[in-house]
Amino acid sequence: MQKSTILIVDDEPEILRAVRGGLTAQGYTVLTATAGAEALQLASADVPDLVILDVMLPGEIDGLEVCRRLREWSAVPILMLSALGQERQKVAALDCGADDYLTKPFGMGELTARVRAALRRAAGAKPASEPTAFVWGDLIVDYARRIVTKNALEVRLTPLEYDILRFLTQNADRVVTHRLLLANVWGAEYTDETQLLRVHVGHLRRKVEDNPARPRLIVTEPGVGYRVRTVEPETIP
């Protein structure tokens, strides 16, 4: 039986060697990364069956941010690693979307047992594959790389504008209420800030719509919220 592919993300060479060796001996295909950006690129290109992810990574994209970004477009099981073992960090990792948490130092027996359990859970309740991009005519929202292009040129969105567009396109053809959109982009404490949302949607429309005054993609549902209305995508050269 073909074994699963596992991506290990850790900047400690000793940990990488030990975990890679142990999992390879079990028959798994193993990919490794030492930084957040590299991990996201590998996850997008190779689509692993499980990610083992260290919380503390060098650079601006730490393990928690990698987890958040993966959860924007992937349901891959994520096992977080940390040498700290603090309750606050464990809660933060789980809140970001991690499936399990293991504190360093750990034994390979425990690690492989948790790997097997995570893969069994994923196989037992595997949903349909989530799309990694949304395509609407000449507009492409690449969830894996967090890049939006129109007419093959990158559209410069603010982080908030991107999060609004991502959530709406991931719920395409559904009415998304103001409260739901505010809660998912800003947080639960902002659910009444509809004017704030209208301002940002206006800015977003000016960047992605051909005619912002008569939007075809992001449609207003009066008094309720917004809906991304899909059409048959045009051929992209």
Side-chain angles (χ1 to χ4, degrees):
M1 185 175 65
Q2 184 178 2
K3 285 284 187 176
S4 303
T5 297
I6 299 175
L7 170 61
I8 310 168
V9 189
D10 200 305
D11 64 325
E12 296 184 54
E14 298 81 3
I15 296 290
L16 277 183
R17 282 196 297 269
V19 176
R20 178 174 55 196
L23 293 176
T24 301
Q26 296 286 325
Y28 295 105
T29 299
V30 177
L31 309 171
T32 62
T34 58
E38 180 187 12
L40 291 168
Q41 183 177 8
L42 281 173
S44 173
D46 295 280
V47 192
D49 300 291
L50 182 140
V51 176
I52 299 174
L53 176 61
D54 187 23
V55 172
M56 304 294 290
L57 292 175
E60 296 181 358
I61 305 177
D62 63 7
L64 296 178
E65 182 62 18
V66 171
C67 185
R68 289 189 196 97
R69 295 194 187 185
L70 284 175
R71 280 293 171 261
E72 291 179 358
W73 60 274
S74 174
V76 63
I78 299 174
L79 172 60
M80 299 290 286
L81 304 177
S82 175
L84 300 180
Q86 296 178 350
E87 186 69 18
R88 182 181 301 175
Q89 193 171 52
K90 179 178 181 179
V91 171
L94 296 174
D95 282 345
C96 287
D99 297 272
D100 201 357
Y101 190 98
L102 192 58
T103 302
K104 299 176 182 178
F106 52 82
M108 277 304 302
E110 182 179 8
L111 176 66
T112 54
R114 295 199 185 205
V115 165
R116 289 193 297 269
L119 290 172
R120 280 198 304 270
R121 288 194 298 269
K126 199 154 194 173
S129 297
E130 291 290 334
T132 60
F134 173 84
V135 180
W136 189 81
D138 56 16
L139 180 76
I140 301 175
V141 183
D142 187 328
Y143 302 132
R145 296 188 298 155
R146 291 178 64 92
I147 292 176
V148 177
T149 57
K150 185 174 175 61
N151 294 320
L153 298 175
E154 184 174 352
V155 179
R156 297 291 184 179
L157 300 182
T158 67
L160 283 172
E161 290 166 355
Y162 173 80
D163 287 341
I164 292 169
L165 184 61
R166 173 183 57 79
F167 193 77
L168 287 173
T169 55
Q170 287 179 332
N171 291 278
D173 291 317
R174 301 173 187 169
V175 176
V176 178
T177 65
H178 296 131
R179 292 178 64 86
L180 181 59
L181 190 50
L182 284 161
N184 277 272
V185 175
W186 276 272
E189 64 273 23
Y190 286 87
T191 52
D192 294 325
E193 300 288 342
T194 53
Q195 183 57 34
L196 176 67
L197 178 59
R198 289 191 185 98
V199 170
H200 282 81
V201 169
H203 293 326
L204 177 60
R205 280 171 167 161
R206 284 196 286 270
K207 295 179 180 181
V208 301
E209 297 276 6
D210 292 332
N211 183 357
R214 302 187 65 181
R216 295 175 57 237
L217 176 64
I218 304 172
V219 180
T220 298
E221 297 290 340
V224 180
Y226 300 97
R227 174 170 54 92
V228 159
R229 179 175 56 194
T230 62
V231 296
E232 187 68 21
E234 301 168 4
T235 301
I236 300 177

